[in-house]
Amino acid sequence: MLIEIPRGTASLESWALQIWIVSGALWPVIYGVMKKFEELTEREVLALAIALEEEDERVYADFAEGLRQDYPATASMFEGMREEESGHRRRLLELYRTKFGEHIPLIRRQDVRGFVERPALWLVRPLRIEAVRKEASTMEVETRRFYEKAAARTQDASIRQLLDDLATEEREHEERAQELDKQKLPDNVKADEEVAQRRLFVLQIVQPGLAGLMDGSVSTLAPVFAAALATQNSWDAFLVGLAASAGAGISMGFAEALSDDGSLTGRGHPWVRGLICGAMTAVGGIGHTLPFLIKDFRAALWAAGVVVLAELGVITWIRQRYMDTPWMTAALQVGLGGVLVFVTGVLIGSS
């Protein structure tokens, strides 16, 4: 994206604003103007429901298209799910026209707090069937929770009835998909019956915990080892590591807690996620800080290095186990980040 730099001091503020926007520094302001779900009117709730159903319909269509060549039975299942979402959208449109007329305000999931940004799996080729099935299960859970919460706060009887019906159908959607799965799909491509629950466990516990552990284990390497090599004193390195770990834990905890409220997605209470993320961040930093309680500096330095290797190994295992990242890819990603930060600390501490 090109930025035209205006001439003259009178235009410097405009130029600075453009730089600020492009750099992403305005995201807290943008986030601040998002609507809370409780603030939506019944008209906006229906408009949002229409947009969600249209998005889900198109996602399922892309899943079906991407899987048709290699997994025709699974593609047929997603085509059936697409048709069902299309039916939901038609019913919502009919009720909306009856209640509010032809104009539908543009309100999308990114305009309302509580939704999780979906990875664009449908754009990746070839599609990984396990990832697609997990994403579809999560979508169904999220949509069902949206309808249940929307119905609970709607005063209009006809709107509430439709939202309740759609919530019930979304609740049964996964069961019908599993039945269709058993009828059409060979054993080697069947999804796990608990894939949706596992996906939510990953969203609520593993994801914030892993983010914190990675940040704490990697980001604190530089200050800890820089202080150790600069001072050649175990106690000084311990104090720096303790301060860095506590500060990173507090920062990451608040960042996770304020990311979204989890009310529509099942990600759990934001402050619980924040606590998990903050605690794991502190643990990740404290791990290689504790060895500097050893008075002998060289022994403390070697012990800290061993702990760092153990931390990176644990992170690699978690990424492979819960995030479906191949062992080699996970090891390279985690190891590369750790090495770069470690070398940065060594260079600064030795200068």
Side-chain angles (χ1 to χ4, degrees), residues 86-345:
S86 178
H88 292 175
R89 184 169 64 88
R90 285 195 298 270
R91 290 158 63 186
L92 287 165
L93 280 170
E94 291 172 0
L95 181 60
Y96 183 93
R97 289 192 181 103
T98 301
K99 294 290 183 180
F100 305 109
E102 291 295 326
H103 175 70
I104 302 176
L106 178 60
I107 179 167
R108 304 153 299 179
R109 59 178 20 254
Q110 58 264 39
D111 301 325
V112 181
R113 293 185 184 179
F115 286 99
V116 176
E117 183 178 352
R118 294 175 178 171
L121 296 177
W122 48 90
L123 299 179
V124 179
R125 293 293 185 275
L127 287 176
R128 294 177 54 239
I129 190 169
E130 296 84 2
V132 167
R133 289 180 175 278
K134 290 178 181 179
E135 184 63 22
S137 298
T138 304
M139 289 166 58
E140 293 165 11
V141 171
E142 183 182 49
T143 304
R144 172 178 59 80
R145 290 174 64 89
F146 164 73
Y147 282 132
E148 289 174 346
K149 188 165 185 177
R153 61 179 299 271
T154 300
Q155 302 299 319
D156 186 281
S158 58
I159 296 178
R160 183 169 61 250
Q161 180 63 54
L162 177 58
L163 295 177
D164 279 331
D165 291 344
L166 293 178
T168 301
E169 292 176 21
E170 292 291 344
R171 188 180 298 111
E172 297 171 353
H173 198 160
E174 184 177 357
E175 298 176 4
R176 292 197 300 275
Q178 289 175 358
E179 292 174 2
L180 184 61
D181 184 26
K182 294 175 183 178
Q183 294 172 5
K184 293 186 176 183
L185 302 182
D187 291 338
N188 63 327
V189 296
K190 288 182 179 178
D192 190 339
E193 293 181 355
E194 298 179 352
V195 64
Q197 289 79 2
R198 183 177 184 273
R199 175 65 169 167
L200 289 177
F201 171 74
V202 170
L203 287 174
Q204 294 174 353
I205 305 297
V206 177
Q207 195 174 73
L210 179 60
L213 185 60
M214 290 181 63
D215 184 85
S217 298
V218 175
S219 68
T220 58
L221 287 177
V224 171
F225 283 91
L229 294 174
T231 64
Q232 299 287 308
N233 185 285
S234 295
W235 181 247
D236 290 342
F238 173 77
L239 291 179
V240 170
L242 184 64
S245 301
I250 294 172
S251 175
M252 286 292 290
F254 273 100
E256 177 63 30
L258 297 176
S259 61
D260 76 82
D261 60 16
S263 60
L264 302 180
T265 61
R267 292 190 72 207
H269 196 282
W271 292 110
V272 174
R273 293 196 324 272
L275 179 62
I276 294 172
C277 185
M280 292 305 294
T281 302
V283 167
I286 288 294
H288 50 257
T289 298
L290 289 177
F292 287 101
L293 288 173
I294 302 173
K295 292 184 178 180
D296 185 276
F297 176 72
R298 291 187 177 275
L301 195 62
W302 279 104
V306 172
V307 172
V308 169
L309 293 177
E311 291 172 346
L312 297 180
V314 170
I315 294 172
T316 300
W317 177 82
I318 294 175
R319 284 177 59 83
Q320 188 277 333
R321 175 68 176 81
Y322 292 102
M323 311 305 288
D324 298 322
T325 305
W327 271 110
M328 186 60 66
T329 302
L332 287 175
Q333 291 173 345
V334 175
L336 179 61
V339 168
L340 290 176
V341 176
F342 176 78
V343 170
T344 300

